[in-house]
Amino acid sequence: MLPLVHEIEAQKVERQPSASSDSILSDMHKADNIAENGGAQADADQELLQRQYELAQLDRTSKANWEMIKKLTVCGVAFLNDAYDMFAINIVAMILGFVYYNDATGSAQNTVPKKWDTLIKIAVQVGCLLGQLIMGRLGDKVGRTTVYSAGLMIAIITTIASAFSSSMVRGFNVFIVLFIWRLLLGFGIGSDYPLTATIVSEYASVHNRGKLMAAVFSFQGFGNVLAPIVSIIVLACFAQSIDHDVQNLDYVWRIIIGVGCIPGVSTLYWRLTMTDSERFQHVNDHALSPSDESTTVDAESEKLLAQQASTGSASPAPEEPGARETALAIPEEVHPRRIKTFVQYFSEWRHLKVLLGTSIAWFSLDVAFYGINLNSSIVIGAIGFAGDIRADRPSRYIIRNCLGNIIINILGSVPGYWISVFTIERLGRVRIQLLGFAALTVLYLILGFAYHQILDKSSGAFIFIFSLAQLFQNFGPNVTTFVIPGEVFPTRFRSTAHGISAAMGKLGAVAAQGGFLQLKDIGGKDEWINRLLQIFALFMFLGFLVTFWIPESKGKALEEICDEREEYY
């Protein structure tokens, strides 16, 4: 994280623009129109241009400082924490089988029944979906950091409560209680997606925005690895007592879940003391009411300043009232317009297709991403790494599964995240997403149509292809579906629109876990896995197609990407 911050400082020095005399002279000629237009209209236009100039300045004056380091640390730890909480349930579900079904007979022994397994795995995804929609909207209405802090406090409380879940004497069993607390945990986690994206995108500079957004999201990969590492440590501490009495595993799963609150608690104070970005404050301070008939803006002036922001040709800030009129220019034609509501803005196809593109792409990705990652034990078992759930010692069986999770993540997932971080500003968001979806379509087709043949001939070949798929999930749409919605929507709607896109992703996760994966045992245990991989390939192709609806945001100011003149009518 720190090397990225230092790189910002170096690049800002290199790229610091200076106003040329030609630019200033041109602005002076254009400014002559102010006097001709005169009156309140000219004042409104100058106020608009001043606001746009100030927003453009934010991209050129951002520096690596303590506030930036604090924000990046908080946001990175948030995703590490979220990934730990979401994916630790794989290991916890396995342990719960030994604790509550050790006395079962046959294939049911040491295995959580499918309905309860699905319930506890789907809980966080459903909660996330609700949290992303509700907290995302509140992020635009109440403020980014206020809602961001509230989400963390919800997550901390519900994580601790989850660790103490137990069956009632009369009423809910432990799985239903765990479902309820993890549903609420998901609600808190859900706030991190839209709010982290908007906080980082609005704080970062143009030339490092994608890299920083990808970097904080990539801490999710460390969370994926941390969950099995913590599990192995806790299991090692209890190994002898577990082998003597399997019921001692009841302590283990509670500790594993409880550890998930530590990263959040460690950054809670920093979250509570964070402030909203200057860009968000500017937009709030100058927000125009749709019903205010007297407030007008010039759409062409919006476009002019957006272009200046991207080319670095904007004039320096005027210091005197007279100088302001020479530095800020407006075109001769002035057309009064009013700001659009959320519904008005997205009722136009050119804007709606972007929201549909980000939402459908995220939905398509998460069908496969969570369908596989929430059930990684299936893949580990398929390659013969897990062992025998009934014959092996419980501690040995669970530790081997944890090691399998670590291997899969280290080989593919973690490298994929960081390849995206260091290439996103060169290749661009859309190109990486297209590359990832195309590669995943091909790889899932290979795994789907040759699943049994590859496993029968070489488990090593299967691990290689599967790891390659994990690599292109993260050097591809898993990162870009997070980054893009944080850039391509207006500041007033950014958190809401990102929340909608992210919620569609979680809907895909729910569909995979609650729908498609219920089909995996058709014809025998795990016999339908190959068909599921073929279905995942279709969704990857769908994600590839809708990516063409999304504009490239590389190297553009936020006000230029979404073209702020389109916010008015």
Side-chain angles (χ1 to χ4, degrees), residues 133-144 147 195 495-496:
L133 290 173
I134 296 172
M135 304 294 263
R137 185 57 180 157
L138 289 175
D140 284 330
K141 290 293 186 180
V142 178
R144 317 298 201 211
V147 179
L195 294 167
S495 180
T496 302

Side-chain angles (χ1 to χ4, degrees), residues 517-537:
L517 283 165
Q518 301 306 304
L519 309 174
K520 72 183 182 66
D521 293 328
I522 294 177
K525 183 175 175 57
D526 296 337
E527 285 297 316
W528 225 65
I529 292 292
N530 60 327
R531 302 286 186 227
L532 290 176
L533 290 168
Q534 294 167 21
I535 293 173
F536 292 165

Side-chain angles (χ1 to χ4, degrees), residues 19 21 29 51 54 71 89 152 154 171 181 220-221 265 267 310 313 321 335 338 384 416 476 508 550 553 555 564:
S21 58
H29 286 305
R51 179 174 70 87
E54 290 167 353
K71 278 184 167 67
I89 196 63
L152 178 58
I154 292 171
W181 285 120
Q220 189 180 79
V265 170
T267 58
S310 65
S313 62
H335 303 287
R338 296 195 306 276
I550 302 171
S553 52
E564 280 204 347

Side-chain angles (χ1 to χ4, degrees), residues 338-544:
R338 296 195 306 276
I339 202 162
K340 294 176 183 175
T341 64
F342 181 90
V343 174
Q344 287 173 326
Y345 184 83
F346 286 106
S347 63
E348 300 173 30
W349 172 245
R350 62 184 180 274
H351 305 311
L352 179 61
K353 73 175 182 180
V354 178
L355 182 59
L356 289 175
T358 58
S359 299
I360 297 173
W362 209 332
F363 174 88
S364 300
L365 167 74
D366 278 4
V367 168
F369 183 81
Y370 285 95
I372 290 175
N373 287 308
L374 282 176
N375 300 276
S376 55
S377 58
I378 295 174
V379 176
I380 295 168
I383 61 178
F385 195 86
D388 190 324
I389 195 170
R390 283 171 288 280
D392 288 346
R393 298 193 313 274
S395 59
R396 182 177 183 275
Y397 178 84
I398 299 169
I399 287 174
R400 281 179 62 85
N401 272 271
C402 291
L403 288 171
N405 271 286
I406 294 171
I407 292 169
I408 289 173
N409 279 287
I410 292 296
L411 288 178
S413 294
V414 173
Y417 280 114
W418 291 95
I419 293 173
S420 289
V421 171
F422 293 108
T423 60
I424 196 166
E425 297 296 358
R426 293 191 181 94
L427 299 179
R429 290 69 158 151
V430 172
R431 186 178 297 177
I432 289 176
Q433 185 159 306
L434 288 171
L435 173 65
F437 273 131
L440 288 169
T441 301
V442 173
L443 291 168
Y444 284 140
L445 284 174
I446 293 172
L447 288 174
F449 284 100
Y451 180 79
H452 295 292
Q453 295 91 323
I454 295 173
L455 278 177
D456 291 342
K457 291 185 177 180
S458 173
S459 59
F462 182 89
I463 293 172
F464 174 77
I465 298 173
F466 183 80
S467 297
L468 203 58
Q470 296 288 89
L471 177 77
F472 279 106
Q473 278 184 339
N474 297 304
F475 174 43
N478 190 39
V479 169
T480 55
T481 52
F482 170 79
V483 172
I484 292 171
E487 299 179 312
V488 297
F489 300 112
T491 301
R492 293 181 300 108
F493 309 138
R494 186 167 293 124
S495 180
T496 302
H498 194 289
I500 292 171
S501 303
M504 282 295 292
K506 288 299 176 282
L507 184 61
V510 172
Q513 188 66 38
F516 295 126
L517 283 165
Q518 301 306 304
L519 309 174
K520 72 183 182 66
D521 293 328
I522 294 177
K525 183 175 175 57
D526 296 337
E527 285 297 316
W528 225 65
I529 292 292
N530 60 327
R531 302 286 186 227
L532 290 176
L533 290 168
Q534 294 167 21
I535 293 173
F536 292 165
L538 289 176
F539 278 101
M540 297 304 98
F541 185 63
L542 174 62
F544 177 84

Side-chain angles (χ1 to χ4, degrees), residues 51 54-55 58 71 135-147 195 198-203 275-287 490-496 558-559 564:
R51 179 174 70 87
E54 290 167 353
L55 291 175
L58 293 179
K71 278 184 167 67
M135 304 294 263
R137 185 57 180 157
L138 289 175
D140 284 330
K141 290 293 186 180
V142 178
R144 317 298 201 211
T145 54
T146 301
V147 179
L195 294 167
T198 54
I199 287 170
V200 177
S201 70
E202 291 170 2
Y203 197 86
T275 57
D276 286 324
S277 69
E278 291 184 56
R279 176 173 272 104
F280 179 70
Q281 293 177 40
H282 271 291
V283 170
N284 269 3
D285 292 342
H286 295 85
T491 301
R492 293 181 300 108
F493 309 138
R494 186 167 293 124
S495 180
T496 302
L558 292 174
E559 289 69 40
E564 280 204 347

